[in-house]
Amino acid sequence: MTSIDTEHFRDALLEERQRVEHAIATLRAEHPGSLDDEVEEVNASAAGDHLADTATATLGREIDYTLGDNAEQVLSEIDAALTRIEEGTYGICVNCGDEIPPERLEANPWASLCIDCKRKAEGG
Ligand SMILES: [Zn+2]
C-alpha cells in the first residue's frame, strides 16, 4: 500500500480523460480533409500574399497531427493508470517499483515511471 490518495487521482484522470477524448474528437472534426485542400484554401483567402502563409499553414497542420498522436498516447496512458488504481499499484514505478512522488503525479496523473526511470527511458 502507498500513501497516495488514489480517489483524488482517479477523479483527475477521469476528468483529463474526458478532456483528451474531446480534444481528439475536435481534432478529427476540424481536419476531415486532406492537407492539399487546406493549403489551397489558405492560398485562395490570402491571394497576393507570399509563400510564408502556405508554410505556416503546413507547419500548423503538422503540429495538429502531433497533438493528435500525443492525445491518443495520453488516452492509453490514462487508461493504464486507471487500471493500476483498480489493481492497487497506482503511484508505483512500473520499472523499479519505487513510489512516484505525489507532486509528480499531481503534474502528470498518468505517470507510470519515477523521475529516474523516466529520464533513463528518454535518454535511451
Ligand atoms: Zn523507477
Side-chain angles (χ1 to χ4, degrees):
M1 289 299 289
T2 72
S3 55
I4 289 165
D5 181 357
T6 51
E7 285 297 314
H8 164 72
F9 287 110
R10 191 207 304 266
D11 285 350
L13 283 163
L14 289 173
E15 197 182 306
E16 190 65 24
R17 195 181 191 285
Q18 277 191 332
R19 197 158 36 204
V20 172
E21 276 190 323
H22 181 73
I24 292 172
T26 303
L27 213 59
R28 286 185 180 148
E30 281 178 357
H31 299 289
S34 71
L35 181 60
D36 287 343
D37 293 340
E38 188 169 317
V39 171
E40 274 172 30
E41 274 176 38
V42 171
N43 282 346
S45 64
D49 267 7
H50 53 71
L51 279 171
D53 287 322
T54 307
T56 306
T58 307
L59 184 63
R61 181 64 179 227
E62 279 167 11
I63 288 169
D64 277 350
Y65 270 128
T66 307
L67 279 174
D69 290 345
N70 283 346
E72 303 214 350
Q73 170 80 21
V74 167
L75 198 62
S76 71
E77 289 186 22
I78 288 172
D79 282 343
L82 287 166
T83 302
R84 289 197 298 278
I85 287 177
E86 296 301 323
E87 292 173 345
T89 58
Y90 181 75
I92 307 286
C93 174
V94 298
N95 187 52
C96 71
D98 275 0
E99 205 168 304
I100 299 172
E103 57 268 26
R104 171 159 165 70
L105 293 171
E106 285 287 352
N108 186 0
W110 55 88
S112 60
L113 295 169
C114 68
I115 290 165
D116 281 351
C117 291
K118 176 76 174 169
R119 278 206 195 107
K120 280 177 203 160
E122 283 178 351

